C-alpha cells in the first residue's frame, strides 16, 4: 500500500511514468469465492450465562483461525472479508460454546473533514499524526447469537488491549479509533453503549473516490479516544522540534542532541555511550566503555525507565527527516536480514524459516536513505518492521542487566 502511494505521487510529479492500470482480484489465494458451508453458533441467552468471553488474535500464519475469520466475514458481513487497508489486526470472539463473532482494526481514512476539524488538524499535522489513528474496519456478531449487551462488551474488551497489541506489532501506540456505521442498516447502538462519540456523517464517498463519482452511502462517524490527553498527543506530531542553540559538536550531538530525556545527566550519558559504542562497535559493553565506572553507568542508563528504544530513536528519526527535506529525490533502500539466535536461554523469538522446528531468531527489516548521485552517501537509517522484536530483545537485555546489578550489590554488601 505504501509503495503504491509513493509510486502514484512520483507519477503525478512527472518523475516516473507508470503503465496503464489493470484490473486485479483481491480474493484470498487458494480459496474459492463460495466456500464450503460452515456451522455457525446459534444461541439465545444472557451475557452472564455465556461464561468467559475471549478475543483471540488472528495472524496470517494461523491457517485455521484465519480461514474461520474470512469465512465468517464473507458469510455475514455486508462488506465481506476485505481487503483491509494498510496495517491491521484481526480477532475472533469466542466463548465455551464456540465462535461468537469477529472484528478487525486497520488503517484510518486519509482525509475526513469532521474528524480532522474535531482534532484540529491541518494537512501537515494530519500527515504527521495519522499513524496514531486506527479504524475499526470490521465488527460482527454472528446472526444466530442473540445476547443483549454482547456487542458493547466485546468492543470494550477490544479497546482495552488494542493499544498494546498494535504497539507490539507495529511499534506505534494508537491514540484514537474511528469507525463508520451505515445509517441505512444500523443505528450504532453498541458503539453508543461502549461510550464512542458520534462525530457526524460522511459525504457518501468511498476511500478511492477522487473524482466525486462514486456513491457509497452516507455513514455515521464514531470516534473513541484511547488516551485522556489524546488531543495533545496528536497535535504534538505536527510541531517542529525545537531549534538547537548551537551547532552540533559532532555526529553524536547531531543525532541525539535533542533527545527528550527528563534529566540532563541522562542526556550527557547518551552522548557518551554513543561515542564509545561508535568507536568500538563490535565490543561488549565493558570493553566499549573502558572503565568499571563507565560500565556501571551504562548499565544504569540502559535499565532506566525513561531510556526506552522508542525514545532513544526519535532524535535520529527527526535528524534524518531534516536531512531528507533538503533533497529533491531520495532512495529508500530496504533489506531483510535473518538473525539466528542459538543460545538456549533466549526467549520470546520464533522460527525464521518455513519450518516451526527450524532455525529460531528474528527478522530485521531495515531502510537506509541514500542520495541518487553516483557517489551516494547514507542519510539515515530506520528499522520499521523489526520494532517489536528489537523491543523484546532490549527488554530481555534490561532484565539480564538488572539481575547482574542485583548480584553485584549483593556481593559488594
Amino acid at each position: 500500500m505504501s509503495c503504491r502511494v509513493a509510486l502514484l505521487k512520483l507519477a503525478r510529479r512527472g518523475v516516473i511514468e507508470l503503465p496503464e492500470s489493470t484490473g486485479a482480484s483481491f480474493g484470498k489465494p487458494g480459496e474459492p469465492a463460495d466456500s464450503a458451508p460452515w456451522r455457525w453458533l446459534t444461541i439465545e441467552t444472557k451475557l452472564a450465562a455465556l461464561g468467559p468471553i475471549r478475543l483471540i488474535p488472528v495472524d496470517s500464519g494461523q491457517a485455521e483461525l484465519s480461514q474461520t475469520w474470512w469465512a465468517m466475514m464473507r458469510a455475514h458481513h455486508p462488506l465481506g472479508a476485505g481487503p483491509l487497508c494498510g496495517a491491521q489486526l484481526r480477532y475472533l470472539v469466542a466463548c465455551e460454546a464456540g465462535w461468537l463473532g469477529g472484528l478487525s482494526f486497520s488503517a484510518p481514512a486519509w482525509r475526513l473533514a469532521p474528524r480532522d476539524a474535531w482534532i484540529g488538524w491541518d494537512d501537515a499535522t494530519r500527515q504527521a499524526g495519522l499513524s496514531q489513528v486506527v479504524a475499526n474496519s470490521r465488527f460482527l456478531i454472528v446472526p444466530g447469537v442473540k445476547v443483549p449487551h454482547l456487542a458493547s462488551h466485546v468492543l470494550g474488551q477490544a479497546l482495552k488491549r488494542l493499544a498494546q497489541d498494535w504497539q507490539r506489532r507495529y511499534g506505534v501506540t494508537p491514540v484514537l479509533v474511528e469507525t463508520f456505521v451505515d445509517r441505512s442498516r444500523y443505528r450504532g447502538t453498541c458503539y453508543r453503549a461502549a461510550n464512542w462519540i458520534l462525530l457526524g456523517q460522511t459525504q457518501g464517498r468511498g476511500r478511492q473516490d477522487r473524482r466525486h463519482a462514486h456513491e457509497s452511502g452516507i455513514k455515521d462517524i464514531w470516534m473513541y479516544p484511547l488516551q485522556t490527553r489524546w488531543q495533545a498527543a496528536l497535535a504534538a506530531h505536527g510541531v517542529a522540534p525545537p531549534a538547537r542553540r548551537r551547532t552540533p559538536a559532532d555526529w553524536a550531538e547531531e543525532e541525539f542532541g535533542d533527545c527528550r530525556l527528563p534529566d540532563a545527566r541522562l542526556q550527557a550519558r547518551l552522548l557518551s555511550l554513543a561515542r564509545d559504542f561508535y568507536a568500538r562497535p563490535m565490543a561488549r559493553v565493558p570493553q566499549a566503555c573502558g572503565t568499571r565506572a563507565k560500565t556501571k553507568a551504562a548499565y544504569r542508563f540502559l535499565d532506566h525507565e525513561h531510556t526506552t528504544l522508542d525514545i532513544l530513536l526519535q532524535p535520529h528519526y527527526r535528524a534524518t527527516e531534516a536531512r531528507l527535506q533538503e533533497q529533491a529525490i531520495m532512495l529508500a533502500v530496504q533489506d531483510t536480514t535473518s538473525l539466528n539466535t542459538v543460545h538456549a536461554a533466549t526467549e520470546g523469538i520464533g522460527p525464521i524459516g518455513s519450518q516451526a522446528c527450524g532455525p529460531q531468531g528474528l527478522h530485521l527489516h531495515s531502510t537506509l536513505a541514500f542520495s541518487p548521485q553516483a557517489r551516494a552517501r547514507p542519510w539515515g537509517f530506520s528499522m520499521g518492521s523489526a520494532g517489536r522484536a528489537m523491543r523484546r530483545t532490549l527488554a530481555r537485555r534490561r532484565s539480564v542487566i538488572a539481575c547482574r546489578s542485583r548480584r553485584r550489590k549483593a556481593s559488594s554488601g
Side-chain angles (χ1 to χ4, degrees):
M1 189 78 174
S2 299
C3 180
R4 174 187 167 190
V5 170
L7 290 174
L8 288 175
K9 288 182 178 179
L10 291 174
R12 294 190 188 103
R13 296 174 185 171
V15 179
I16 62 174
E17 183 177 351
L18 295 176
E20 291 293 328
S21 60
T22 58
S25 173
F26 292 99
K28 200 170 185 189
E31 292 188 7
D34 298 324
S35 57
W38 292 67
R39 294 183 179 179
W40 304 110
L41 184 63
T42 301
I43 187 172
E44 185 171 356
T45 185
K46 296 182 178 180
L47 180 61
L50 283 177
I53 297 173
R54 297 175 293 129
L55 262 64
I56 302 176
V58 179
D59 294 326
S60 58
Q62 299 169 307
E64 185 175 351
L65 294 179
S66 184
Q67 290 173 7
T68 302
W69 190 93
W70 276 75
M72 181 186 296
M73 295 297 164
R74 282 200 302 265
H76 300 297
H77 200 284
L79 299 178
L84 305 180
C85 294
Q88 55 193 259
L89 289 176
R90 295 179 293 153
Y91 300 92
L92 283 169
V93 185
C95 68
E96 294 181 358
W99 300 118
L100 298 171
L103 70 164
S104 67
F105 298 89
S106 54
W110 288 336
R111 292 179 182 271
L112 191 61
R115 177 202 65 193
D116 297 347
W118 184 57
I119 297 174
W121 272 349
D122 55 20
D123 284 347
T125 52
R126 176 184 52 79
Q127 186 175 6
L130 194 59
S131 62
Q132 289 189 295
V133 180
V134 299
N136 176 209
S137 49
R138 296 291 188 276
F139 183 37
L140 172 70
I141 299 296
V142 175
V145 176
K146 308 293 184 182
V147 181
H149 313 300
L150 173 62
S152 58
H153 177 75
V154 171
L155 280 174
Q157 281 199 5
L159 294 174
K160 286 180 181 178
R161 63 178 298 170
L162 174 61
Q164 183 177 358
D165 289 353
W166 197 273
Q167 166 70 25
R168 186 181 298 114
R169 173 170 290 189
Y170 296 110
V172 176
T173 302
V175 174
L176 202 62
V177 189
E178 67 184 26
T179 196
F180 305 93
V181 176
D182 189 340
R183 305 179 69 186
S184 65
R185 294 174 179 266
Y186 310 103
R187 294 180 297 175
T189 304
C190 63
Y191 290 99
R192 190 184 304 275
N195 296 321
W196 288 57
I197 301 170
L198 178 60
L199 202 59
Q201 287 76 40
T202 67
Q203 298 180 5
R205 298 171 51 199
R207 179 183 286 265
Q208 306 295 340
D209 188 22
R210 290 183 175 272
R211 300 181 180 179
H212 298 247
H214 180 66
E215 293 291 337
S216 63
I218 296 177
K219 297 180 176 64
D220 288 334
I221 304 170
W222 292 85
M223 309 295 295
Y224 187 90
L226 296 174
Q227 299 180 12
T228 55
R229 301 184 62 186
W230 59 270
Q231 286 178 305
L234 290 174
H237 284 266
V239 179
R244 298 186 180 95
R245 296 182 179 178
R246 62 183 181 85
T247 303
D250 59 2
W251 72 271
E253 283 196 7
E254 182 178 355
E255 297 302 310
F256 301 107
D258 68 341
C259 188
R260 295 160 188 174
L261 295 173
D263 192 314
R265 292 171 295 180
L266 290 175
Q267 180 70 24
R269 182 59 56 188
L270 172 60
L271 299 180
S272 175
L273 287 176
R275 296 177 181 121
D276 289 342
F277 291 162
Y278 174 78
R280 303 187 65 183
M282 301 300 293
R284 297 181 179 181
V285 174
Q287 296 170 336
C289 293
T291 66
R292 180 178 176 82
K294 294 183 67 175
T295 300
K296 293 180 66 175
Y299 287 145
R300 286 195 298 268
F301 179 88
L302 294 174
D303 196 38
H304 199 280
E305 60 179 348
H306 292 297
T307 58
T308 64
L309 184 64
D310 286 334
I311 293 175
L312 298 183
L313 287 179
Q314 289 305 315
H316 169 67
Y317 293 156
R318 291 192 291 269
T320 301
E321 290 174 1
R323 288 190 290 268
L324 298 186
Q325 288 174 359
E326 300 174 356
Q327 308 299 316
I329 299 177
M330 297 298 297
L331 304 179
V333 181
Q334 304 180 52
D335 187 34
T336 301
T337 301
S338 296
L339 303 181
N340 188 348
T341 304
V342 297
H343 198 286
T346 304
E347 300 178 351
I349 59 176
I352 56 176
S354 58
Q355 298 180 356
C357 59
Q360 303 291 302
L362 56 88
H363 290 292
L364 173 67
H365 188 81
S366 58
T367 302
L368 190 60
F370 283 95
S371 56
Q373 286 76 19
R375 293 185 178 181
R377 53 169 289 193
W379 291 75
F381 177 78
S382 68
M383 299 177 295
S385 59
R388 57 176 179 160
M390 295 301 291
R391 268 180 286 278
R392 288 199 303 267
T393 302
L394 184 58
R396 290 193 295 271
R397 186 174 183 180
R398 290 177 186 274
S399 178
V400 172
I401 291 172
C403 291
R404 291 175 179 172
S405 178
R406 286 193 294 268
R407 290 174 183 171
R408 291 193 193 97
K409 290 180 180 178
S411 60
S412 61

